[in-house]
Amino acid sequence: MDAHSRGRADEIDPADQWVLNPQTGNYELRPNHSGRESSASSRAPEGPGRESTSPRREVPAQRSRPAGSGRSRKQSGAARGGRKQPASRRRKALLWTGGVMAFVVVAGSAGAYALYQKFNGNLDTVDVGDAGSGSVAGDGPLDILVIGTDKRTGEGNEGYGDKGSTGHADTNILFHVSKDRTNATAVSIPRDLITDIPDCTTKQPDGSEKVIPGTDNVRFNVSLGQQGRDPGCTMRTVKEITGLSVDHFMMVDFNAVKTLSTAVGGVKICLDKAVDDADSHLDLPAGESTVQGEDALAFVRTRHSFGNKSDLDRIKVQQQFIGSMIRQMKSDDTLTDPGKLFKLADAATKALTVDSGIGSIKKLTSLAQELGRIDTKNITFVTMPVKDNPAEPTPVTVVPEPEKSAQLFAMMRSDTSLTEVKKKEQAARSKQEAVLEGSRAEAADVRVDVLNGGDLSGAAGATADWLRSGQGVVQAENKANAPAKISRTTLAYTPDQADQARALADIMGLPATALKQGKPGAGVTQAMVLTLGADFKGVGIPVTGPAKAPDDIQRADADKAVCAK
């Protein structure tokens, strides 16, 4: 398909290519469109009973076809030529953000891209209060929790999930996007993980707040829905488990995987063997297939067709599906097809429930621009290391595998990549060696002021006491709370305090990235400043993240297609 038949996607605003057909009530591609119509006669006339099709006004979204009705066809009304116009920054962003939000595809899959204010009305939002950061972009890492619920909404979904349920956290993926936006680690948290759910404050319909009491030793999936818990409760539970503060959430239900897989024209999957599962109704041959609608949902829902038929093996299949959908959404076949982009945007925004911090197309576009810099080859899916629950005679739930899960989350807190980005790894090693290479001061000569910028109450005082009484750092002083909270611990020092900084880094277990050298100052008589961040978990617990991934951890790369076994 040449550029003309694709509508000159690099020059034309796809929102301008759709007009309301008053006979069908649907939005359709203009039979002969250019980037902007210069004649009013080419639009449906405005007036009583008629609706303006101007892209400057908010209009209803296109009516969707029934889910699972077959592969989405490319529209026949292709563009034929059109006067060349300069592409605005917003239009350029429109093209490549079409696939960016495929990062939030989940067993639910979710994807979103911005077709401006037109799709704002599709989004559902939840105010999670201080459970999220509220910021769309920043200088640090970004953590987004994607929740796939088992809520039974949408046509044909009566046979799935918990009847009458408000929706539990059935599928959960925490996307950790690196500070430099070169890579992302997507961690699946099993729904059957036994954990503690903290107290959480929820917003009620009348605007009041209600605190839902925490619960210990329960399945992770009841962090949502049970006792009126909202996604903010799930975000807080993830923070308790990982030590990572979740910035935002995106939530979808069963219908999302059906509508999005159809809108994108089908998702390629591969099976190691033929599958005929009576429970999920998945019936596919061995080898490669393209699934959409009900078949796509059956593929990500089945738990009796692969591996040892557990939820952990279903997670692997879901990760494979997500990786394939990311590739499809970021492919030229999708990004250069205005009709497919419109359907994808409409389905995606209808599927999403998000926190108010990203509850508009403008904010989602800004988020997409942050994520758009990541190459697919640098997106790694991994499952939280777990083991069978020893408290159950016949285990059906799991508990954290302590060493490996702690190592994985320490990596993420220190923003260490799971991807094989050789240049970055070499640069990190060089920096580590350069910063930490050199002499160490005696503990008694180390002068440091300790501030608390994390979440543990009294952390600065406890750390200063520990340094003085147990580590010989007799000049450690408690300076109480920092001016603002920070995600990662830092140690600020001057060039002539480098030997003191290395000594304290050894004692505290600080990575080289925590050491921040400033301008020359008053010298050794001036105290360094240690600010404890959210990654500080307690006195005597090293803050540093390991240099490599835990051994034998389950992982998959988004750019590689594999066959489900």
Side-chain angles (χ1 to χ4, degrees), residues 256-313:
V257 67
K258 296 196 296 186
T259 58
L260 287 168
S261 60
T262 299
V264 81
V267 177
K268 292 181 181 179
I269 62 168
C270 181
L271 303 182
D272 189 59
K273 61 181 180 180
V275 169
D276 186 0
D277 181 7
D279 291 329
S280 68
H281 308 295
L282 182 65
D283 185 5
L284 292 173
E288 188 175 278
S289 296
T290 299
V291 295
Q292 59 182 302
E294 292 290 348
D295 285 340
L297 180 58
F299 178 72
V300 299
R301 290 287 301 165
T302 183
R303 61 183 299 169
H304 302 297
S305 304
F306 309 111
N308 62 7
K309 302 181 180 181
S310 71
D311 190 56
L312 296 179
D313 282 290

Side-chain angles (χ1 to χ4, degrees), residues 213-231:
T215 308
D216 294 341
N217 203 38
V218 294
R219 294 192 191 204
F220 178 88
N221 69 338
V222 300
S223 63
L224 176 68
Q226 203 86 351
Q227 299 178 359
R229 295 188 179 104
D230 66 10

Side-chain angles (χ1 to χ4, degrees), residues 323-377:
S324 180
M325 189 171 238
I326 288 175
R327 295 191 296 273
Q328 178 63 23
M329 285 184 169
K330 298 191 79 171
S331 70
D332 289 341
D333 184 52
T334 299
L335 296 182
T336 57
D337 186 336
K340 188 177 289 186
L341 280 176
F342 186 97
K343 289 184 178 181
L344 179 58
D346 190 38
T349 50
K350 284 179 178 177
L352 280 174
T353 298
V354 300
D355 62 278
S356 53
I358 51 173
S360 70
I361 296 302
K362 181 178 180 181
K363 292 177 180 178
L364 279 176
T365 302
S366 179
L367 180 62
Q369 290 170 339
E370 289 290 301
L371 302 178
R373 291 183 267 166
I374 307 174
D375 194 306
T376 308
K377 69 181 180 181

Side-chain angles (χ1 to χ4, degrees), residues 143-182:
D143 292 284
I144 304 167
L145 178 64
V146 182
I147 306 170
T149 77
D150 55 1
K151 185 176 182 180
R152 307 188 329 166
T153 57
E155 182 180 353
N157 294 326
E158 297 83 1
Y160 298 107
D162 230 356
K163 186 174 182 179
S165 170
T166 56
H168 297 122
D170 193 58
T171 302
N172 312 276
I173 299 181
L174 179 64
F175 280 87
H176 175 80
V177 182
S178 66
K179 178 179 179 179
D180 61 9
R181 307 300 190 251
T182 63

Side-chain angles (χ1 to χ4, degrees), residues 128 131-135 141-145 235 245-249 355:
V128 296
S133 69
S135 63
L142 198 58
D143 292 284
I144 304 167
L145 178 64
M235 295 167 72
S245 296
V246 183
D247 296 290
H248 302 288
F249 85 87
D355 62 278

Side-chain angles (χ1 to χ4, degrees), residues 485-508:
K485 287 191 174 184
I486 59 174
S487 59
R488 290 179 304 218
T489 298
T490 62
L491 176 61
Y493 66 100
T494 60
D496 48 6
Q497 295 173 322
D499 58 343
Q500 293 186 46
R502 296 186 197 106
L504 190 61
D506 290 345
I507 295 170
M508 293 288 299

Side-chain angles (χ1 to χ4, degrees), residues 50-211:
R50 301 305 295 257
E51 197 161 358
S52 168
T53 59
S54 168
R56 296 179 181 272
R57 296 182 58 187
E58 188 169 344
V59 294
Q62 182 187 26
R63 296 176 183 172
S64 58
R65 301 185 184 198
S69 61
R71 179 177 293 197
S72 157
R73 294 175 299 169
K74 295 180 180 178
Q75 303 298 315
S76 59
R80 300 295 178 189
R83 182 169 55 90
K84 185 173 182 179
Q85 300 181 28
S88 69
R89 176 180 296 179
R90 188 166 64 172
R91 290 179 192 159
K92 289 179 181 178
L94 175 66
L95 292 176
W96 58 262
T97 58
V100 166
M101 293 313 295
F103 289 15
V104 295
V105 179
V106 73
S109 27
Y113 94 116
L115 268 179
Y116 319 134
Q117 206 62 24
K118 176 178 295 186
F119 292 116
N120 268 336
N122 287 352
L123 289 170
D124 290 326
T125 62
V126 175
D127 184 352
V128 296
D130 61 2
S133 69
S135 63
V136 176
D139 297 330
L142 198 58
D143 292 284
I144 304 167
L145 178 64
V146 182
I147 306 170
T149 77
D150 55 1
K151 185 176 182 180
R152 307 188 329 166
T153 57
E155 182 180 353
N157 294 326
E158 297 83 1
Y160 298 107
D162 230 356
K163 186 174 182 179
S165 170
T166 56
H168 297 122
D170 193 58
T171 302
N172 312 276
I173 299 181
L174 179 64
F175 280 87
H176 175 80
V177 182
S178 66
K179 178 179 179 179
D180 61 9
R181 307 300 190 251
T182 63
N183 62 85
T185 301
V187 180
S188 293
I189 300 176
R191 67 175 190 179
D192 294 328
L193 175 73
I194 296 299
T195 188
D196 295 340
I197 299 174
D199 295 348
C200 64
T201 302
T202 60
K203 295 279 187 176
Q204 301 302 300
D206 62 1
S208 63
E209 294 184 346
K210 179 181 179 181
V211 177

